[in-house]
Amino acid sequence: MFLKSVELFGFKSFADRSRIEFTDGISALLGPNGCGKSNVVDAIKWVLGEQGAKSLRADKMEDVIFNGTETRKPLNVAEVALTLANEEGRLSYDEPEVVVKRRLYRSGESEYLINNKPVLLRELREVFYDTGIGKSAYSIMEQGRIDQVLSSKPEERRLIFEEAAGITKFKIQRQEAERKLAAVEEDMRQIGVIIDEVKRSYDSLKAQSEKTLRYRELADVGRALEIDIQLLRLKDFLEAKAGKEKSLEERTKRRDAIKEEIDGINGLLQENLDVVNSMESELVEKQKKIYGIGVEKQSLENESRMLAEQLSDFEARIVADEAREKSLQEKIAGVVLEAGQRKKSLEEARAGLLEIGKNIGEFEESVRSAEGHIRENEASIRSREAEIHHLEEEDETLRGELRGLTDTIVEELDQRLKDSGYSSRERARTEAELDALIESLRIQLDGGVKLLEDALRVGGAGASGGSGGGVKALEAVLEACRELFTKIAGLGQKFGEYKRLSPSFIDEFLAPEGIITQKRGIDNRIQENLGKIRENRNTIRSLREENAALSLKIDEYRKTLEELRLGRERIKTTIAGEEENIVRLEREEEAQRRMLTETAQDIARLRERIGEAGQRQAEMKEKKRAFEEAEKLTRKELAKLEASISLRNQEQLAKEKKRQAQMEELAKTQLALDKLQIDLTEINTDIRNVYDNFRERHSRELADFENRIYEITTPVKDLRDSLMGLREELKKLGQPNWAAPEEFSEVKKRYEFQCGQLEDVKKSREDLERVAVQLRSASEEMFLSNYKKIRT
């Protein structure tokens, strides 16, 4: 496994996309302090998952994003990519190269990618377990790290041995298993707490449920007993009614027979009898009228009771509608608030779209500028290549002239040397002695300078260390200076010998108008041309390198432009979605307000109906008062009529001695008939009350149970005694929790579910304990084996 390259963009000082290639051997990053060498190491640690900002020499993680300069704007993203060779398959990927990449956005979002596929930080770290690679593994040795390793405690040094032994993955897996085991223990504790809590509810609700079910059972029996009692009561009323109707029929026949006897006995009294009969008929009509008034009064009371129930129902509906109105107002407020937030998000997205558009424009301008610069550099390259061609032609001409002049110099120099008796061997010896003497002087001067520097340092520290060392240094300098004067005198003597050995004709050669000066001029022109050629070639190479760099930048700008355009499309999609949400919320608000208006209208209609019902109650009270007055007046007339009948009977008493007994019997019969009619009326009222009361108490019709009215054999007294005993038992049970059976059913399901969960968690704990033991055994065996190798 080999690190092939590091690519950085927007990380700390790397504002432009930069790529650092590594080859076999040792690679070094050179540069002055502050040029960003350490940022490369920070980038490698960062992409491998470093989470501590302090370890990256930053206050917070967002500080690693390029923050801008006076001439460049800050970037919104930092990206680092490592390319690793994986021919040996050390990493768990079937590819020859593995690219690990990390991105961080200024918004705080972060992502990790391996071969351009998103992964979690945990997954990235697992890839490098036991490879020696990681943010804190031994593959990255910073300044002072080796000393730290050598001076660290044995338990700290053990971590490096474990990484080298390849058991880090087992150790992490074991730690993960132990963490899961601790979590399982905590889950078991929590489930136990839940089971204890649910068990208390289970026991409580079980008792309440059994009590409620018993209460319902007794209540059902009580209702059945009460129905039987009402049926027996109805049966009594019906039998009484049948008896009264039969008696009424018999007495009516008897009355008719007495009248016939009275008609046959005395025709003279027919008129009086007709009058009496008329009065009696009127008396019956009055009685019927009184009974009808009673019936009407009862009907008014029933209707009044129904109106009261309607009023109560209307008021309950008003309360419900007002609660609904309040709920709608709260929903409208929530919708308005959410719409405001959506609009704010929409504005932010639009602002981001403008910013991206601005960045796109800037990058497009940068691309155009770079392309224009490339064209200018190409033109400059062509111009300098033409100049190089011209200089090379001129250089060829000058070299021809130089060869001819050199031949002349050699011929004339040989002749002059022969004439002057010059010895190159003697001159070389003298030059060597001069060089040795000069070198000795240089060394001695250098030593004297250092001695002076030491003396100055010793003198500067004299306050703390004394001045003895400084005096000795000055004495040494003085002695060196004396030797120096002696060597300078010898240098002057040797220089005189050198001048004697130097040929004088050389000055002629070196004179301004001499042949050497001519040669030197040609040499200078040749060197000048060569310098211009090198300069032009260096410039051409620089321009071509600059063009290559500009081409890479153009590619990077275009990639960034593509990313920005994709970001712009995503923001446009977001804007469209927010606009749709705002339209939906506005429609929802309109619908809620429409429902609010309808609710207010319903409340108004209910209040109007309450007013109408109140008015109807007032009218019924007025009718009832009128009926009571009519009843009172009718009873007075009835009393007056009875008095008149009695008076006529008394007047006829003397005339109807023979008929007295018949008249008395007739009167008795008539009274019995009247009483029977009244009794029948009361019985009918009682029967109707039985039906009405049963309907009001049980919300059902008693007629639904009449089919078994003659099947009941138990006496009413026994039924009443049973009902009283049952009510006493219900009273002892107390008020039941009506929802207890349903709640107990839910709690029972939850209790059984939690018990099953506890069993599952226990099984998971056993599995984790077994895995932890296996991992510990395997890691210990591998560690001991490798530790023996390391110790050896």
Side-chain angles (χ1 to χ4, degrees), residues 218-230 697-698 714-731:
L218 293 175
D220 292 339
V221 174
R223 279 192 294 271
L225 290 174
E226 193 168 354
I227 290 172
D228 290 346
I229 291 171
Q230 295 299 323
R697 291 184 63 181
H698 302 286
T714 306
V716 175
K717 183 178 181 304
D718 294 342
L719 292 175
R720 292 186 186 277
D721 292 341
S722 299
L723 182 60
M724 289 298 293
L726 190 141
R727 286 176 177 172
E728 286 296 326
E729 189 174 353
L730 288 174
K731 187 176 180 182

Side-chain angles (χ1 to χ4, degrees), residues 109-141:
E109 299 176 2
S110 178
E111 57 183 353
Y112 297 88
L113 301 98
I114 297 180
N115 290 346
N116 291 324
K117 294 181 180 180
V119 297
L120 300 176
L121 175 59
R122 174 177 56 78
E123 297 173 343
L124 182 141
R125 288 176 173 172
E126 288 176 354
V127 170
F128 293 108
Y129 284 158
D130 303 324
T131 62
I133 299 176
K135 67 182 184 66
S136 58
Y138 56 77
S139 61
I140 300 176
M141 286 291 175

